[in-house]
Amino acid sequence: MGKLVTEMLKGTLEGMVLAILSGRPAYGYEITAHLRDQGFSDIAEGTIYALLVRIEQRGLVDVAKVPSEKGPPRKVYSLNDQGREYLEEFWRTWGFLADRLEQLRKLEQLRKGDKQT
């Protein structure tokens, strides 16, 4: 991924992780693997684990320790009510920003077209 994509992801990764958890509980590696399957191949596992700690501290997820076949128990994260409310606000904000960006893009395209005629 390019630097611009990386910078843009910083502001949206939290919402993306919460969206994944809205579908089902998951542990850190599962979340990272899901994001990679969706084309976000450069996201480091450490980035996701640090984000999970932050959203846990903010009370957006519940955590359960589940026995693992290989090593210590896994921390499985699930979205709680506060996390669902936050995710709804994230999607509202995302929709607002996406609409405004699309309007700006169309306006710039029109301006370019006007300059060419």
Side-chain angles (χ1 to χ4, degrees):
M1 277 186 265
K3 183 175 174 139
L4 183 58
V5 171
T6 301
E7 289 299 314
M8 292 176 124
L9 271 176
K10 285 181 184 178
T12 57
L13 192 55
E14 186 174 272
M16 293 165 56
V17 168
L18 293 175
I20 291 167
L21 293 175
S22 73
R24 66 178 177 85
Y27 57 94
Y29 180 78
E30 285 178 309
I31 294 167
T32 304
H34 182 75
L35 288 167
R36 288 178 178 162
D37 288 346
Q38 298 303 310
F40 299 102
S41 57
D42 290 347
I43 292 177
E45 239 179 290
T47 300
I48 298 303
Y49 285 112
L51 187 146
L52 288 168
V53 168
R54 287 194 306 273
I55 63 176
E56 179 183 0
Q57 289 172 343
R58 290 176 45 211
L60 302 177
V61 293
D62 293 328
V63 180
K65 290 195 176 187
V66 176
S68 170
E69 296 173 7
K70 303 174 185 176
R74 290 184 174 142
K75 289 177 87 172
V76 175
Y77 298 84
S78 58
L79 200 61
N80 60 27
D81 289 340
Q82 187 176 340
R84 273 187 263 296
E85 288 175 22
Y86 184 89
L87 182 58
E88 287 175 20
E89 179 63 24
F90 172 83
W91 286 128
R92 278 192 298 274
T93 303
W94 178 260
F96 171 82
L97 290 172
D99 288 346
R100 296 312 176 277
L101 286 169
E102 184 61 19
Q103 288 175 8
L104 182 60
R105 187 180 70 80
K106 287 179 180 177
L107 181 61
E108 291 303 311
Q109 286 177 336
L110 285 173
R111 287 183 181 158
K112 284 180 185 177
D114 288 344
K115 289 180 184 178
Q116 293 175 357
T117 56

